[in-house]
Amino acid sequence: MQNQIALGAANVTRVVETQIHMRTSLFADTPAQAWDDHADLLEPHFWHRAAEQWRIAMQSWVVEVDGLVVVVDTGVGNDRDRPHMPPLDHLSTDFLHSFTAAGYDPATVDVVINTHLHTDHVGWNTQLVDGHWVPTFPNARYVMPEADYRFFGPGGEGENDGMRTVLADSVIPVTDQIQLWSDELELSPSLRLRPAVGHTPGSSVLWLDAGAPAVFVGDLTHCPIQIRRPDDACAFDVDPAAARGTRRRVFTEATHAKAAVFPAHYPGHGGPVLVADGDSFDVDGWAALDAI
């Protein structure tokens, strides 16, 4: 399977953890007819018509550039107690095998980026070894948005039982390796993190430009229906209005830059190139990755 592409001087690799289906009703702003109207974009990879479900991939993107190996988002992780999200509870996947099969050693990863601190973006920060959560990437900086760290942490507005569990098994064990950031962070000449608030207070995007631009957008968009209907919110957005504005801004920036857009959860070919279409957007092509 073709899971790696070159973008200028950078290599980008997709490492898939698992895939699940979710109810289309999680897009409350999207009328049922809209899914049919955009079937040309959504089928067969993103929408299950008969079940009224959309398809989601849990995956990481690995970027090699400027002498760095950078992992963007770390999925759900194995062995997690996730009663608040039953489809993610106590997963047992071959993610680490897939990671090493793609040619990477966790010990040689330089940077781990959590675009935000939801459970399906921080899981493989750690792994369970002899009953203890230990860093999966022992020599990496774990770069996390400070706004999320405060929001979901003790005393924060987003603190709840589920997030306390997530932080306990996937964030606190890497405390000594964490770098918190806000505003903007340049990781290397080709990589910079920028805020993309809305999905969470600290949601961020990673811009790559090593001769062929791309942007890794985390949960700025969950499903391609939001490309053509960018104002449609997903139920997981903490601030839907802010997420709408951010989605339009980043999509517009991507169209101007002719940058490939790599969301955290798109199956299929994973990364569209967008074009403006009136007050909306459309897909001008997909990354040269095999479809999943």
Side-chain angles (χ1 to χ4, degrees):
M1 174 173 282
Q2 172 62 26
N3 63 2
Q4 185 177 94
I5 57 173
L7 292 175
N11 285 323
V12 174
T13 302
R14 165 196 256 178
V15 182
V16 179
E17 181 181 26
T18 190
Q19 298 183 62
I20 61 174
H21 288 80
M22 307 191 82
R23 305 183 312 277
T24 55
S25 59
L26 289 167
F27 292 94
D29 300 327
T30 309
Q33 183 60 43
W35 295 89
D36 288 304
D37 292 344
H38 299 292
D40 63 306
L41 175 63
L42 300 172
E43 291 181 326
H45 300 302
F46 305 105
W47 176 49
H48 192 295
R49 183 190 298 260
E52 297 184 343
Q53 294 179 327
W54 54 288
R55 189 157 156 250
I56 186 170
M58 307 296 180
Q59 60 199 350
S60 297
W61 298 101
V62 184
V63 182
E64 291 180 87
V65 70
D66 300 333
L68 299 175
V69 177
V70 180
V71 177
V72 184
D73 289 324
T74 62
V76 178
N78 283 354
D79 308 307
R80 314 284 148 160
D81 186 16
R82 298 290 184 262
H84 58 296
M85 297 193 75
L88 309 183
D89 189 50
H90 286 93
L91 286 188
S92 179
T93 73
D94 291 328
F95 175 83
L96 278 185
H97 173 76
S98 298
F99 189 86
T100 56
Y104 299 106
D105 178 350
T108 64
V109 170
D110 299 289
V111 180
V112 173
I113 295 170
N114 300 137
T115 59
H116 61 289
L117 297 188
H118 277 164
T119 182
D120 53 329
H121 293 257
V122 301
W124 280 105
N125 284 0
T126 62
Q127 58 182 316
L128 192 61
V129 177
D130 297 329
H132 300 282
W133 296 107
V134 301
T136 303
F137 307 100
N139 300 307
R141 278 186 293 157
Y142 285 79
V143 180
M144 304 178 185
E146 184 171 4
D148 272 12
Y149 193 84
R150 306 303 176 199
F151 181 77
F152 293 116
E157 186 179 343
E159 183 186 17
N160 56 44
D161 288 344
M163 285 306 303
R164 278 190 285 269
T165 300
V166 171
L167 266 61
D169 60 38
S170 300
V171 175
I172 293 172
V174 300
T175 294
D176 292 344
Q177 296 167 243
I178 290 175
Q179 177 183 359
L180 298 179
W181 71 281
S182 58
D183 298 325
E184 189 168 322
L185 178 65
E186 183 176 300
L187 294 168
S188 76
S190 303
L191 292 171
R192 76 181 189 278
L193 276 163
R194 293 181 59 195
V197 301
H199 180 62
T200 66
S203 283
S204 58
V205 296
L206 176 70
W207 284 90
L208 163 69
D209 194 347
V215 57
F216 299 84
V217 300
D219 282 0
L220 183 80
T221 170
H222 287 81
C223 175
I225 200 164
Q226 293 176 298
I227 295 173
R228 291 184 178 168
R229 297 177 58 92
D231 292 332
D232 288 7
C234 179
F236 302 123
D237 293 338
V238 171
D239 185 339
R244 292 183 188 102
T246 298
R247 190 159 40 250
R248 281 192 171 275
R249 172 179 61 79
V250 175
F251 281 1
T252 299
E253 292 170 348
T255 62
H256 290 167
K258 296 181 172 56
V261 176
F262 291 96
H265 295 307
Y266 278 22
H269 297 282
V273 176
L274 305 183
V275 290
D277 184 16
D279 193 38
S280 184
F281 304 89
D282 212 336
V283 174
D284 193 41
W286 291 91
L289 298 164
D290 286 346
I292 61 168

